[in-house]
Amino acid sequence: MSVKKHVYMFSETDASMRNLVGGKGANLGQMTQLKLPIPQGFTLSTEACTFFYENDKKLSDEIILQVEEALVKLQTITGKEFGNPINPLLVSVRSGARVSMPGMMDTILNLGLNEVVVEGLAQTTKNPRFAYDSYRRFVQMYSDVVMGLSKSYFEEVIDEMKKEKGILLDTEFTTDDFKIMIKKFKSFYQEELGEKFPEDPKKQLFGAINAVFNSWQTPRANYYRKFNNIPNEWGTAVNVQSMVYGNMGNTSGTGVAFTRNPATGEKKIYGEYLINAQGEDVVSGVRTPAHIETLKEIMPKVYDEFIKATEILENHFKDMQDIEFTIENNKLYLLQTRNGKRTAQAALKIAVDLYNEKMITREEALMLVQPEQLESLLHPQFNPVLLKKAKPIGKGLPASPGAANGHIAFDVEEAVKLYKEGKKVVLVRMETSPEDIEGMHISEGFLTARGGMTSHAAVVARGMGKCCVSGCHELQINYKQRYFELDGKKFNEGDYISLDGSTGNIYGDKIDTVAASISGDFKTFMQWCDEVKTLGVRTNADTPVDAKQARDFGAQGIGLCRTEHMFFDSTRIKAMREMIVADNTAEREKALAKLLPMQRQDFEEIYEAMGNFPVTIRYLDPPLHEFLPSKAEDIKEIAAELGMTIKKLKSKIDSLHEFNPMMGHRGCRLAVSFPELAKMQTRAVMEAYCTVKKKNPKYSPVPEIMIPLIGDIKEFKYVKNIVKETADLVLEENKMDVNYKIGTMIEIPRAALLADEIAKEADFFSFGTNDLTQMTYGFSRDDAGAFLNAYYEKKIYESDPFARLDQRGVGVLVEMATKLGKEANSKLHVGVCGEHGGDPSSIEFFFKTGLDYVSCSPFRVPIARLAAAQAVIQANKK
Amino acid sequence: MSVKKHVYMFSETDASMRNLVGGKGANLGQMTQLKLPIPQGFTLSTEACTFFYENDKKLSDEIILQVEEALVKLQTITGKEFGNPINPLLVSVRSGARVSMPGMMDTILNLGLNEVVVEGLAQTTKNPRFAYDSYRRFVQMYSDVVMGLSKSYFEEVIDEMKKEKGILLDTEFTTDDFKIMIKKFKSFYQEELGEKFPEDPKKQLFGAINAVFNSWQTPRANYYRKFNNIPNEWGTAVNVQSMVYGNMGNTSGTGVAFTRNPATGEKKIYGEYLINAQGEDVVSGVRTPAHIETLKEIMPKVYDEFIKATEILENHFKDMQDIEFTIENNKLYLLQTRNGKRTAQAALKIAVDLYNEKMITREEALMLVQPEQLESLLHPQFNPVLLKKAKPIGKGLPASPGAANGHIAFDVEEAVKLYKEGKKVVLVRMETSPEDIEGMHISEGFLTARGGMTSHAAVVARGMGKCCVSGCHELQINYKQRYFELDGKKFNEGDYISLDGSTGNIYGDKIDTVAASISGDFKTFMQWCDEVKTLGVRTNADTPVDAKQARDFGAQGIGLCRTEHMFFDSTRIKAMREMIVADNTAEREKALAKLLPMQRQDFEEIYEAMGNFPVTIRYLDPPLHEFLPSKAEDIKEIAAELGMTIKKLKSKIDSLHEFNPMMGHRGCRLAVSFPELAKMQTRAVMEAYCTVKKKNPKYSPVPEIMIPLIGDIKEFKYVKNIVKETADLVLEENKMDVNYKIGTMIEIPRAALLADEIAKEADFFSFGTNDLTQMTYGFSRDDAGAFLNAYYEKKIYESDPFARLDQRGVGVLVEMATKLGKEANSKLHVGVCGEHGGDPSSIEFFFKTGLDYVSCSPFRVPIARLAAAQAVIQANKK
């Protein structure tokens, strides 16, 4: 067997060897290939790590030999020598797995120093303080990181010495102080470990390498791997790199720079540096760094070299880079480069610019923006100047992004009153319910004391693109006396508050907002998305306003128009209630006749807003008791309004009471009990179509009638027959024809299990993944808040299954239903209209599962378009 | 191609030809083979029916020819001639598919009569009234059944003639009246159909045959077939059989007899007959029939021949027969035989007797009793003499069988008070809830105004083996003034009522009950079940009393012991409430420490009752708010009891409020939030084991700890770890060892989908099919009552999915989880503990799916044992 290569010089590695030499190693290799000035070094491969574990956690002689050979080469490259006090080679030792992973060993710096070398360094650099500070840091790091001694002892020693000397900062220590400190550290080391601190640089080196390999299997690292599905066998690499110092005097320095502006995306170097300093000094903020451009004047050659390097790196990595550099005695070294973090606006501009600069393809450009980032471009934000001065009075969950200010209203009536006075309103409630919809429409934002990220308030807010802070448990509302308490202060109805739905912060006064600016690149970028993506993106919209907004955002139709929201409107709820309290079919039909023209009007406006796009209309879904009052005073008022006795209304309400409304008399079950309801809705859907089409023949919307909560083919057929008869009758009456569709939501597990049967009768499926998730997990979104926190804390769940589709569980039903459905009916159109339709990772899953479209709230449409495009690009990569 | 045989004489058919000649045809064939005196005839095969439809709904010449040939043979056999007035052959024409099917053509009698033949018949029988009555009946039947004329016309004519003549009964018509009637019928026929009533007997015959074939595809028949999965292609046969008459004078007669006593099973002929009568006279009750034994004296030869025939039939069909016979002029004819309906007691005795008589095998004996029948043997019944005189005051759903009487109590306190006074109690409530458990335990039966067959009251009642009438909507309860109204009467608390849980009847006074007698055959029979069945049968039992009862009924362990029922007990609920209102873990542990000895005591008694059988203990399942009061007065009282302010208790109750408790903070979610709860329960389970084992080493129960509501493997592991640590600690403390098991319920769809993952960590699965059905269908059992009736009426659902497992939907999850689970863990033990565990058709499904056991309420254990045995026998047949 030939000897296996386990150790690679940086010059021997490249991007293709990432699995073998880890992310950091491959990166250093690439920079070496690019002939950039990096401190040279070598990498022990991930296979060496595996071998280490196979060899009883010992480095084999073979590996030791290879390391020593590499060390010799490194000495040749650097012209320095390990352990030589005149010209010492000092190195850092770092772990470097394929993917960045917390829980692994960090960094050891200044390795190679000992009693002799430190003194040599002091003399050659003429900087004894620097030399001894470096040495004490090394002793400290080695003791803690490699040998596992407690950090706190070292800190205690330092603190004690400061006290003795009456100083406050590390910088006030003298060389002699460091010498004393090193002695103390070393004697502690000996006491604890029963051996002297290693003076032999090679012993130090192999100790550090061992420590890195051992850190691959700490409990924390194992735990992290398990949760992130990282195989144990991958192992970690070890990088040994020669040290450079930016604190060697005024010809040295250190800094950080971005190749483009990370805030705006502007193509211009952006960064800062400090002369005679180490990396941590730039970060700590003790000294104020200078702008990178001033380096041009101080060290013009270094600056030019640096600028050239940034261009090479950007060209190589094809993305804006975030670069750390050090200047040691007028010589530039690049320590690290990575793709830089950036704002949404910058991300868009950089992506489009890089494409225009022909540096990347359109597909690569699309991968440079995180879909979620787009959200911040779509909502108003607080004026940053004002925000800086503001102090929050409390914090809830950041349930729906954007910023809002307005006058406090505790209920819909007050909200309407303030609104009519021309005032902006923030609705503050314990929790919201469908009865509050009207008040929510006219409010700028909502604040609730109860409920999580997927509570009613949060879901509605995201749907409407309004700001919402939910679940602020400290919020004490006194509805009776019309005030709330927070942060020890009292806020009355009508007082100003401001909400930040992106952070969850609540402010006790008015902070002005600014509309976010959307650059022209945004449009270009979104067009690229549409050219690449294959998945349709529709919107969930119940009103013409929402529909229009969504079209502006690029929606290709409505995937979910909830008809019940229309009934909560104060002008309509009376007729709705008459329908509900009706004692027989005739009375019910009378009330429905009043609702018909209103519902028809809604649909007309929505069709007009959607032009030639399909509009999926879901029939009445919530249980009827949601439309009836629950408070005594309301019951009294409404009984009078409906012309019935309080007793009778009460008994009607009682008879509609449900233990588990979520699993009650709702969805298609209403249409089965009261077919006249489905008839009225069908009439409204089809008459609206006829009216719009007659008025303006250029509009050709496709009505798609969606029956909710189906669990059985016979149930679907029963309702479908009613719908079909009525629809055909209306078309006949109007002498018109349209290829309307009748489909169903798949939101009951049983429907997914029997999807083949249902598909034979349905034109389309739309996954209602909200309800499907609730039923599959057996918990209600409204109630899960009480226990889900414990599940996150105890690492039982990693993410909210209502926000990100549970692909292993609920996803199995989605796959099953899609497969069964499409096999049984090749024309079946399949989409999703639950909240997950706007979540990028879920969208990728829906794409892979073979769905035809996703539907999400208007403000998530751009996100979905990008996620859908990225899904295609990802799939093509494989 | 050779000519296909489509028409068979009765003598040419036998049992093996059932598919070809239908059930009736095969039966007549067998009786012919047995040389029993049946009126001869022939059968047109089901293939002829298919051919009829293929031939454009016409009889082919070939078939017509074969019918004519058969007719000639029949004339030879009977010595009578079609259309011959002197010696006419008259026939009946009946449909006869493979399985009995409503919606098909019924019967035409007396076919072959016409103007000439009727007069001949009048003369030869010297009974003109008989002849003309027969003829008018034929005309009427033919017009209606064959030609589709409206029945009502004929009835109107008859009614008018009665009025004219001033008579009331058909029997008062004279021969001349019938002649007039026939004329009227025939002229109506001609008016309506534009042709004369057919005088040619052959034309009548082919008309009738055509009508039978056509009736195979009436909408009603199609509908029935679709619902019962009967293929269209099966077709129906037609039986043409010569007529015999029991009303030809005093040497004729007709009767019905059972080969054994259908009430007791006694081996002795049991039946009755009438001289000079037709079948319908026996049924109508106008004349009182004589006991079959008296025939011995009147017609000894006929009687002997009949007795011999009954023996032959019983021997042939290997079951007690229900036989119809006619005597025409001293000649015996058997018209029909079928397996006789019988009481449960008779069924058992007959099955055991037939085996002892070596007529049938043990397996055949087991198939002779319907599992459901056994239920009536296990509950007390009303004294039948008293019952006959009683008039119900109302009716609800027969929710749990048996009979009960007692004093009305409207709540638990009153029930306890009456019980302590030594009185029997019937609990009357709008609906029951877990808080009522204590009152339910001491009551004889429950009556509720709301709720269906699977409401809380019904489920608990069946579990306890108590009588329950639920969902009596007419029941108006006034809790405040302590009375209810029903049937316009007022019943006060303390008044007597009686309930029949088998019929749903409610009686306004006391009707004494009698314990049902169980004959010794019962034991023998149940032993056979156990010898044959492979599925284990356990019981759902929460108390030592239930456990003991179930063991008496043959349970092989406890499959579900619900620990929460123990906490509702009035002596314990205080500690439970202290635990719930606790502000922190320490307080909670303090309260739990009070519950520990009580819970331990429960388990000790249950282990003792179960001897060496396994006991599956399910950890606390319901949401905690179920243990807290909801009424203001109770809150006040309990706040005082717990030593906290009303406000604080109220706010605690509010914080525990759930929108959908069924999908809320319950099951294992409680243990995840409050691990100390699982610790206490584990300590109780294991300490009880140690105590019992030490006290009496002959007991070796196997504690099986069951974690409810699991939906994820990490969730299961989290709770399992807590349980395991505590259990091992207790065993160590006691220096004992036992192979206890930790498993989970599969009741959340997600658990079924991910069963392979869970199985790797679980010792057993127990399907909670109640919750699994709720989640899979997306409706709550408590609320479904509001809409399920519409589903039954509209034929969307055929059976209650909570009573009979939905094999197509929920069953898919059960199969999937069993398969995934057993593949992942070959030692996995799989059972079911939902209500379906006691339903015979579901049990057959569980057996086929490969489950190891079913668990059901004590009173269903014998039923489950028989159903499990029958499942094996059925499977072996295939």
Side-chain angles (χ1 to χ4, degrees), chain A residues 219-235:
Chain A
R220 212 179 127 209
N222 283 335
Y223 186 82
Y224 181 87
R225 273 198 295 281
K226 203 166 163 195
F227 265 100
N228 292 277
N229 289 315
I230 299 174
N232 232 342
E233 310 82 65
W234 278 10

Side-chain angles (χ1 to χ4, degrees), chain A residues 227 659-660 662-663 669 672 714-715 718 750 757 776-778 780 783 791 794 798 806 808, chain B residues 227 659-660 662-663 669 672 714-715 718 748 750 757 776-778 780 783 791 794 798 806 808:
Chain A
F227 265 100
F659 295 99
N660 297 289
M662 146 99 243
M663 308 179 83
R669 295 163 194 165
V672 170
K714 284 186 206 156
E715 185 183 38
Y718 179 81
R750 196 171 187 271
E757 294 184 5
T776 306
Y777 270 92
S780 122
D783 303 316
Y791 275 68
K794 293 172 183 179
E798 283 156 69
D806 158 45
R808 294 187 311 131
Chain B
F227 266 101
F659 295 98
N660 297 289
M662 144 101 244
M663 307 178 82
R669 295 162 194 167
V672 169
K714 287 188 203 153
E715 185 183 38
Y718 179 81
I748 297 272
R750 196 170 186 272
E757 295 184 5
T776 307
Y777 271 92
S780 122
D783 303 314
Y791 276 67
K794 294 171 182 179
E798 282 156 70
D806 159 44
R808 293 188 310 133

Side-chain angles (χ1 to χ4, degrees), chain B residues 218-265:
Chain B
T218 58
R220 213 180 125 206
N222 283 335
Y223 186 81
Y224 181 87
R225 271 199 295 281
K226 203 167 162 194
F227 266 101
N228 291 277
N229 289 317
I230 301 174
N232 231 341
E233 310 82 64
W234 279 10
T236 181
V238 183
N239 295 295
V240 178
Q241 188 175 22
S242 53
M243 293 288 305
V244 290
Y245 296 94
N247 55 347
M248 287 240 189
N250 286 336
T251 56
S252 299
T254 191
V256 178
F258 291 83
T259 55
R260 296 173 191 237
N261 186 318
T264 64

